[in-house]
Amino acid sequence: MEAPGLDGRIESVRVAADGVRIALVVEKGGKRSLLIGRIQRGGTSGEPPVVSVLELRSVTPDLEEITAMSWAGDSRLVVVGREHEGVLQMRYVQVDGSTPEGPAPAA
């Protein structure tokens, strides 16, 4: 897998049901961030496929420590994380980084 622009160690990976988007929990300097990118598949027939993760971007800049995440449909994730010196919390996050209106996910 190629991931240009990835800076850190991958802790967790989840691919969306559509097979086009990927969410990564990446650790760097004691901080775990949630990054979302686009999967691009390539290669020629008869050769192993080449998979690249492009356009990686952070979608939880206010959370310092992501401990778990999972896709909750095609365009949002359930994320468990902690703000600076805060408590663990669970929230929905859209793929564009916004937080949808409505209640947080039930524990």
Side-chain angles (χ1 to χ4, degrees):
M1 178 178 89
E2 297 176 5
L6 179 64
D7 187 20
R9 185 170 63 93
I10 298 172
E11 297 275 326
S12 182
V13 176
R14 300 286 185 274
V15 176
D18 63 10
V20 175
R21 287 181 236 151
I22 189 168
L24 307 170
V25 174
V26 177
E27 191 275 329
K28 180 183 176 190
K31 180 178 176 182
R32 288 186 184 148
S33 302
L34 176 62
L35 305 177
I36 293 181
R38 179 175 55 85
I39 297 173
Q40 180 174 327
R41 293 171 178 85
T44 57
S45 65
E47 303 227 350
V50 176
V51 177
S52 299
V53 176
L54 305 174
E55 302 170 14
L56 279 171
R57 66 188 187 286
S58 174
V59 292
T60 54
D62 57 331
L63 297 178
E64 283 191 355
E65 183 182 340
I66 304 297
T67 58
M69 56 88 179
S70 182
W71 286 96
D74 289 337
S75 62
R76 70 179 181 173
L77 295 109
V78 175
V79 179
V80 178
R82 179 188 326 264
E83 292 179 355
H84 181 70
E85 297 184 11
V87 297
L88 280 177
Q89 54 185 291
M90 189 172 4
R91 66 169 78 160
Y92 288 115
V93 175
Q94 298 290 118
V95 293
D96 65 0
S98 64
T99 303
E101 296 292 322

